[in-house]
Amino acid sequence: MRLRTLDDLGDLAGRRAFVRLDLNVPLEDGVVTDDARIRASLPTLTELLERGASIVAASHLGRPSGRVDEALRLRPVAELLQRFLDRVVEYVPTDGVLSPEVEQSCQALAFESGRFVLLENLRFDPGEEANDRAFAQRLAGLADVYVDDAFGAVHRDHASVVALPAILREQGREAVAGRLLQREIEALSRLVADPARPYVAVLGGAKVSDKLGTIGALVERVDALLIGGAMAFTFLAADGASVGDSLVEPERFDGVRAARARADERGVVLQLPEDVVAATSKSMDASRHTVPSAQVPTGELGLDIGPRTVEEFARTIADAKTIVWNGPMGVFELEPFGAGTRGVAMAIAGASAYSVVGGGDSLAAVKKYGLEDGFDHLSTGGGASLEFIEGRELPGIAVLEVGRVSDRETSP
């Protein structure tokens, strides 16, 4: 894969760069509670500004479903960007994404180096998620070059990710990857192209249905697959274990059995929890105890992997040369059920392996336990990183490849 990057752009003085960012940050009462994604966008923005470009920045936030949602406006993001960049960020709330005033303002950026405009939430317009070409053409009129730095969105067939760069390339204009996207691809490629072995994947989270495709793909690639979190109970229940009131998806039994059979066929070690921390409810003060994973009492549910499982997982992790982790081992947000996630995170951070962590909850856990320096790469994309390591073609990356213009259809 050969991508165009910022290094392929010529003189940017007086040129307008449309920069697709991933500023999908958590908000609480209109306040950003985690600014990591905003900070991750700064290297690309700073470089473009230092090279003389003016910027039209755009991002989605939440799931407004093509309608204006006052709680999902980008004003709090604009305020943080202004502070971090130490320059004026022009942001005008609109009843959609584009308005005559916004378009005129972006047109006026030509030959005005250093100005910065932030568009309103892209998903306020139904054309974004529909990958609508007409909407993308209006966005294309706002800038001279396109820069994608939103790794967390490159697996989406959305207008600002696919149709827009395709249109610009059809017109002979540049569409390139920003520094964050470039770094993500370089780091994750090490998990796909001849990874050092043993290669161990650690998966967690609530629903196995969310990651069954990933499990099937990883069974073909890894040497060991460690499964924790509530998703493990579907595997256990499919084998006839008594898992009490733990989360189980019976409709996925055939899928998990097939994954186990394929792992056995390929000689892949598939480790499930041997013990779990069970409680009567998901609460701080619930009575809890450690029980065998196949003997969770009726009326109780497993909310974390147990100490023996942490120990067994850590043994496998210690021997690894490549590790990818996505998904917590339990309800780590509640301290009584955080020991499993903390133990696994510490084991990975202490391993002499190339280690990558992705997914919002896993990143939050790494940050919570102060283990950032123990990982080689902290991926900003959850679904995107999983699809990349599965070996899928991601549309937002494909459209930037040298020698290609997206052949994916966009709606008329």
Side-chain angles (χ1 to χ4, degrees):
M1 179 190 306
R2 163 78 168 92
L3 289 187
R4 292 172 173 83
T5 70
L6 296 185
D7 298 324
D8 296 302
L9 293 179
D11 183 15
L12 291 174
R15 301 178 75 192
R16 299 166 300 158
F18 186 104
V19 189
R20 178 52 161 101
L21 302 171
D22 182 5
L23 305 176
N24 187 28
V25 295
L27 294 175
E28 212 170 276
D29 299 323
V31 177
V32 176
T33 57
D34 185 347
D35 61 15
R37 286 182 173 174
I38 299 175
R39 291 181 182 276
S41 71
L42 299 180
T44 290
L45 297 175
T46 300
E47 180 176 344
L48 289 169
L49 291 167
E50 288 177 346
R51 291 173 61 179
S54 56
I55 289 176
V56 178
S59 176
H60 69 283
L61 177 61
R63 298 175 182 269
S65 301
R67 301 186 302 273
V68 174
D69 184 334
E70 294 298 327
L72 295 176
R73 289 194 180 276
L74 284 173
R75 183 181 295 281
V77 173
E79 292 170 351
L80 281 180
L81 276 172
Q82 181 161 291
R83 191 173 79 196
F84 293 154
L85 292 169
D86 192 25
R87 69 175 58 233
V88 173
V89 171
E90 302 171 39
Y91 162 79
V92 180
T94 61
D95 290 335
V97 176
L98 298 173
S99 68
E101 293 76 20
V102 169
E103 291 178 279
Q104 289 169 13
S105 178
C106 292
Q107 292 291 347
L109 294 182
F111 310 109
E112 295 185 41
S113 298
R115 279 182 61 187
F116 192 115
V117 172
L118 176 65
L119 300 183
E120 187 54 276
N121 190 338
L122 287 167
R123 290 185 181 174
F124 282 2
D125 193 301
E128 169 65 3
E129 292 186 86
N131 196 23
D132 180 67
R133 189 173 177 88
F135 177 59
Q137 285 176 325
R138 291 185 68 191
L139 295 177
L142 305 181
D144 305 303
V145 301
Y146 173 87
V147 179
D148 192 344
D149 218 27
F151 177 69
V154 292
H155 60 315
R156 305 293 189 191
D157 270 310
H158 291 175
S160 66
V161 177
V162 179
L164 171 56
I167 288 170
L168 291 178
R169 292 190 65 182
E170 290 164 6
Q171 297 173 350
R173 289 187 273 173
E174 295 126 313
V176 306
R179 297 305 183 198
L180 183 151
L181 179 54
Q182 181 183 357
R183 186 173 66 249
E184 289 275 10
I185 292 171
E186 290 171 352
L188 294 176
S189 292
R190 291 185 59 176
L191 302 177
V192 178
D194 195 24
R197 297 189 179 276
Y199 178 10
V200 175
V202 183
L203 296 180
K207 294 183 176 181
V208 73
S209 55
D210 293 338
K211 292 177 181 170
L212 194 53
T214 300
I215 291 168
L218 287 176
V219 161
E220 304 296 328
R221 296 174 178 270
V222 302
D223 301 294
L225 183 58
L226 316 184
I227 297 178
M231 61 188 287
F233 291 109
T234 297
F235 278 86
L236 292 164
D239 282 344
S242 299
V243 297
D245 294 346
S246 303
L247 178 62
V248 172
E249 296 176 89
E251 68 277 11
R252 301 299 179 185
F253 281 176
D254 287 345
V256 300
R257 287 173 182 142
R260 293 201 72 170
R262 181 57 178 160
D264 290 341
E265 183 181 332
R266 290 202 65 251
V268 174
V269 175
L270 197 157
Q271 287 183 249
L272 295 169
E274 295 186 18
D275 58 348
V276 297
V277 178
T280 54
S281 66
K282 191 189 301 184
S283 63
M284 287 287 291
D285 55 359
S287 176
R288 60 191 183 278
H289 58 142
T290 301
V291 299
S293 59
Q295 299 175 27
V296 180
T298 301
E300 297 183 11
L301 65 163
L303 296 172
D304 191 16
I305 59 173
R308 180 166 177 77
T309 299
V310 172
E311 184 179 322
E312 293 301 318
F313 280 13
R315 282 200 182 96
T316 302
I317 289 166
D319 292 334
K321 296 301 180 186
T322 303
I323 304 170
V324 60
W325 173 33
N326 185 292
M329 299 293 101
V331 189
F332 76 98
E333 301 91 341
L334 300 179
E335 191 56 37
F337 309 108
T341 299
R342 182 172 59 249
V344 167
M346 291 178 65
I348 299 172
S352 57
Y354 177 71
S355 57
V356 173
V357 59
D361 288 337
S362 300
L363 290 174
V366 169
K367 183 175 180 180
K368 177 178 181 178
Y369 304 129
L371 297 171
E372 295 98 320
D373 292 342
F375 289 80
D376 292 288
H377 182 63
L378 307 177
S379 179
T380 57
S385 60
L386 286 178
E387 290 191 21
F388 188 97
I389 64 177
E390 288 172 27
R392 297 193 203 180
E393 179 180 272
L394 306 187
I397 294 176
V399 75
L400 302 179
E401 289 183 39
V402 172
R404 287 189 59 169
V405 174
S406 177
D407 55 3
R408 291 168 178 269
E409 291 190 7
T410 56
S411 58

